[in-house]
Amino acid sequence: MTVRQTSTTSLALGRAAQELALKRGELELALQLGQVRAAQDDSGGPPRVERREIDRLRAGHGFPAALRERLRTVGTVDGAELASISQGRFLRLARTGHFAPVWFYVNRYHAVVWLYLAEEVLDFTRDHASLLTGRTPPEFRALLAAGEDRRPRNWRGRRLGQLLRASSDPWRRAAAIAAVLDPVTVAKTVPDPYERSRLSVLRPEMVPAPPKSPRGREIVDRLVTADHPDEILWHRASLAEALREAREHSAAPRRAPRAPGAALARAPHGTLPLGALHPAAPHAAVGKAGRPAPVQHPRSSRPWSRPSSVRPSGARPSGPGASGVRSGRRSRGTARALLGRLWRTRAGRA
């Protein structure tokens, strides 16, 4: 019996959240931001938090309030209040890319709610006070008039950076880049099906808890996929470079070639694959007159049998039960002939 020793040196995410006085969503955000470091489980399960990492965070100044403050997120309403600006100005600044979202979710009305780190909002208000008052600069007004919204793109870039920093394996890093591209673009960039299969297996979760409704999942799929031409071109170039490094590290697993007799060995007892006994000839035989020679049907071991696929000229087609009726009539006629022959023999002897 094997006893896992990791339970004494590392904790599952649920227990780690309790130890750090965090909600499960706050811990997931802390893992993405690097505020809490986690290690992958050797058995392939979810990541675990080392006990020494828990002790380090608990020994920090102002724990747990300081840790929770670094993880505090705000939406449009709270962010505008925190920056002391109107909600409309905050939304315009967010759409033009001045605030990079750190998280989002789809509410019950299928509306996307973007969340920002409160700490970053405060830093922006201190560094860009000129954008908090007065008229919006002309270049930003032009972007808004064209319908520009850089929040999804900024979130994808931020999330991809988190995934790339979390792994040193070349194939996992390539799979993270492929996760933000649509399947058609991935197929064009990665023509080898075995390499695409490996990237699909290693594909990380862009959103840990996607919505359950089909409409919600459709919205999330749209938000996690790159849609701007410049963004797609950048990720395609990054994926090609990551694939080059992954191929140098190790080749993608491929299916072993089949042995010549593998099909016969796997066939069930008493059955053979189609064409195993009578393989089709590559070319039809040609007679002397240049016409195809008649097909030679295999003969049965019983001399009185006739191939079922060959029907004499003029014979009437048979229905589902016609063969049984004919065989029954033939059997009765044969029995009568034998009885008649026996009767005549006895009459002659008498």
Side-chain angles (χ1 to χ4, degrees):
M1 179 178 179
T2 303
V3 180
R4 291 184 57 185
Q5 300 295 332
T6 55
S7 59
T8 58
T9 59
S10 64
L11 302 177
L13 296 183
R15 180 59 186 275
Q18 295 178 3
E19 293 280 344
L20 297 175
L22 297 176
K23 299 178 181 179
R24 183 60 181 267
E26 292 175 331
L27 179 60
E28 292 177 352
L29 179 59
L31 294 174
Q32 294 183 17
L33 297 177
Q35 295 288 344
V36 178
R37 296 188 294 265
Q40 294 292 331
D41 192 4
D42 295 337
S43 61
R48 302 177 64 88
V49 182
E50 298 290 338
R51 167 58 68 179
R52 57 175 177 268
E53 176 70 4
I54 299 291
D55 297 339
R56 181 187 69 84
L57 293 170
R58 291 175 63 90
H61 177 71
F63 178 84
L67 176 60
R68 300 194 67 175
E69 180 62 25
R70 292 196 298 269
L71 301 175
R72 185 164 70 97
T73 58
V74 293
T76 301
V77 177
D78 295 337
E81 183 179 355
L82 189 63
S84 300
I85 57 178
S86 65
Q87 298 181 20
R89 180 176 290 271
F90 185 92
L91 182 59
R92 291 192 295 271
L93 291 173
R95 289 173 62 91
T96 52
H98 292 85
F99 300 132
V102 71
W103 196 256
F104 77 90
Y105 66 91
V106 180
N107 62 15
R108 60 179 179 175
Y109 304 107
H110 295 146
V112 181
V113 180
W114 295 99
L115 299 177
Y116 313 86
L117 281 177
E119 188 177 21
E120 293 182 356
V121 173
L122 291 175
D123 292 341
F124 180 84
T125 57
R126 288 192 297 264
D127 299 337
H128 302 86
S130 60
L131 294 176
L132 304 181
T133 58
R135 290 178 57 84
T136 304
E139 60 272 20
F140 299 148
R141 290 203 303 268
L143 292 176
L144 294 172
E148 184 74 14
D149 189 355
R150 297 183 177 179
R151 291 175 294 178
R153 182 175 180 176
N154 288 342
W155 175 82
R156 286 191 295 266
R158 186 168 199 162
R159 179 65 175 137
L160 179 58
Q162 296 166 356
L163 294 172
L164 293 177
R165 289 190 300 269
S167 177
S168 60
D169 180 73
W171 281 104
R172 291 187 179 275
R173 293 171 61 87
I177 301 174
V180 299
L181 293 172
D182 62 275
V184 176
T185 304
V186 173
K188 293 179 180 179
T189 311
V190 191
D192 190 341
Y194 294 100
E195 292 180 345
R196 290 200 306 270
S197 176
R198 185 166 191 181
L199 294 179
S200 178
V201 170
L202 299 177
R203 177 188 175 96
E205 290 291 343
M206 296 291 291
V207 179
K212 296 181 180 180
S213 65
R215 175 60 179 161
R217 290 195 298 268
E218 180 183 352
I219 295 174
V220 170
D221 291 341
R222 175 173 53 84
L223 292 177
V224 303
T225 305
D227 55 0
H228 195 277
D230 293 340
E231 183 187 9
I232 296 174
L233 184 61
W234 172 264
H235 290 317
R236 287 192 64 177
S238 302
L239 178 58
E241 179 63 21
L243 272 178
R244 185 187 63 80
E245 298 178 359
R247 293 186 187 112
E248 294 177 355
H249 180 266
S250 62
R254 299 179 181 274
R255 184 180 301 174
R258 293 182 179 181
L264 295 178
R266 289 194 301 269
H269 179 70
T271 62
L272 288 177
L274 182 62
L277 292 180
H278 302 285
H283 300 284
V286 180
K288 295 181 179 180
R291 298 178 181 177
V295 179
Q296 298 294 332
H297 295 277
R299 296 188 176 183
S300 173
S301 59
R302 298 180 297 174
W304 60 84
S305 64
R306 176 180 297 165
S308 58
S309 59
V310 180
R311 190 177 68 229
S313 176
R316 284 181 291 180
S318 57
S323 60
V325 173
R326 288 198 301 269
S327 61
R329 292 176 179 175
R330 189 183 302 112
S331 300
R332 289 194 294 271
T334 304
R336 291 171 182 173
L338 292 176
L339 288 175
R341 184 180 302 175
L342 181 60
W343 176 260
R344 289 193 298 272
T345 303
R346 291 185 176 180
R349 289 180 181 178

